[in-house]
Amino acid sequence: MSGELEQRLAGIRGRMEQACLKAGRAADSVRLLAVSKTHGPDAVMEASAAGLADFGESRIQEARQKIPQCSGSLRWHFIGHLQSNKVREAVRLFEFIHAVDSPRLLEHLERLCQEEGRRLSVCLEVNVSGERSKFGMQPGDVPAALRTAAGCFRVKVEGLMTIPPIAEDPAEARPFFRALRGLRDRMQEESGVPLPELSMGMSHDFEVAIEEGATWVRVGTSLFGPRRKGVPDEAV
Ligand SMILES: *Cc1c(COP(=O)(O)O)cnc(C)c1O
């Protein structure tokens, strides 16, 4: 069984290894999050058979259909913008939320995790470019979010996440990845709380993200092919 997906996965693994080598990082210091949005359970099961266990979705409506149809011990990550009326369902469906963008959402997640008897890992989404169209907190808001996080027992802030401005040349994303890492380093030092995860890099720029310290790369198109039409994508 050497399908198209397996070949694409081998290509991605190769690119990840090269980037780690170039950056002097251990190959196992970066994990691949397979972004399965718009692709069906069949694609997820094929990726799972190829050895992947972490899957990313950006819409609750889509995830609530798909996740129950996928068997095996998969870990589901929510990578989209989470609306307050979907927080309970997100807590039930996911174990990692990559884009928490306010202290208020942290508190909301903590409360619903208590009610649902769940635990959750999260990253704080930071808008390091200052683009007005983007979700994410400002870098200056991170300390307040970490103070809120200190009072959370079921929700654990593991690090930071960003989506840089769309650019043709992946190198243009470098300053934003570097800024996120610098912010993480400062916040870690100031708060004394470990923030090991940096969720950054997508299909076209994950090598650059790895060179700048990414620990999670979120890869959709390079792995599953073009997004399937007729499934709206409101994440980016
Ligand atoms: C869709 C999406 C990705 C994956 O994008 P590709 O370019 O297809 O790899 C990564 N991160 C987020 C937040 C997304 O919404």
Side-chain angles (χ1 to χ4, degrees):
M1 188 187 90
S2 182
E4 219 174 321
L5 186 137
E6 277 190 323
Q7 282 172 24
R8 290 200 192 106
L9 176 57
I12 292 164
R13 293 270 190 229
R15 286 168 61 191
M16 289 174 69
E17 273 168 34
Q18 279 303 313
C20 282
L21 208 61
K22 189 169 165 196
R25 300 182 54 189
D28 64 0
S29 65
V30 189
R31 277 153 306 156
L32 175 59
L33 177 60
V35 176
S36 47
K37 67 188 183 199
T38 80
H39 299 280
D42 45 340
V44 172
M45 294 322 292
E46 194 183 347
S48 163
L52 293 170
D54 290 275
F55 292 89
E57 289 288 327
S58 61
R59 294 175 73 248
I60 298 291
Q61 298 92 312
E62 188 182 339
R64 82 160 70 99
Q65 306 282 329
K66 190 182 305 180
I67 291 176
Q69 294 181 57
C70 299
S71 57
S73 51
L74 308 180
R75 288 182 295 270
W76 290 94
H77 301 237
F78 190 71
I79 60 172
H81 177 68
L82 187 54
Q83 294 163 333
S84 55
N85 63 345
K86 307 236 167 74
V87 171
R88 187 180 299 278
E89 213 173 351
V91 160
R92 288 180 180 160
L93 289 169
F94 295 95
E95 52 190 85
F96 202 126
I97 302 214
H98 283 244
V100 172
D101 60 1
S102 69
R104 191 212 291 232
L105 178 55
L106 263 182
E107 284 169 347
H108 197 176
L109 286 165
E110 173 73 12
R111 184 156 45 80
L112 293 193
C113 276
Q114 268 167 27
E115 289 180 18
E116 300 287 331
R118 315 272 306 200
R119 289 182 185 278
L120 204 56
S121 291
V122 306
C123 280
L124 301 176
E125 181 182 8
V126 186
N127 178 355
V128 281
S129 67
E131 264 186 310
R132 266 192 277 154
S133 59
K134 280 258 157 33
F135 292 116
M137 59 182 78
Q138 296 305 306
D141 296 335
V142 174
L146 290 176
R147 283 194 293 277
T148 300
C152 294
F153 302 100
R154 293 184 166 266
V155 178
K156 187 160 177 239
V157 175
E158 309 273 5
L160 306 181
M161 176 268 201
T162 199
I163 306 173
I166 295 161
E168 198 120 312
D169 180 0
E172 287 180 43
R174 189 182 299 278
F176 305 109
F177 295 146
R178 189 167 290 178
L180 192 75
R181 188 208 178 122
L183 178 65
R184 186 281 303 272
D185 292 349
R186 286 196 302 284
M187 292 298 109
Q188 203 165 235
E189 193 161 317
E190 274 176 27
S191 68
V193 176
L195 298 168
E197 307 294 351
L198 286 172
S199 171
M200 56 189 198
M202 302 169 38
S203 287
H204 71 294
D205 59 11
F206 69 77
E207 285 112 318
V208 177
I210 289 171
E211 287 168 34
E212 296 300 330
T215 61
W216 279 109
V217 292
R218 310 179 306 265
V219 178
T221 316
S222 287
L223 182 63
F224 292 109
R227 287 197 246 297
R228 287 172 49 196
K229 299 226 169 67
V231 189
D233 172 19
E234 49 184 31
V236 198

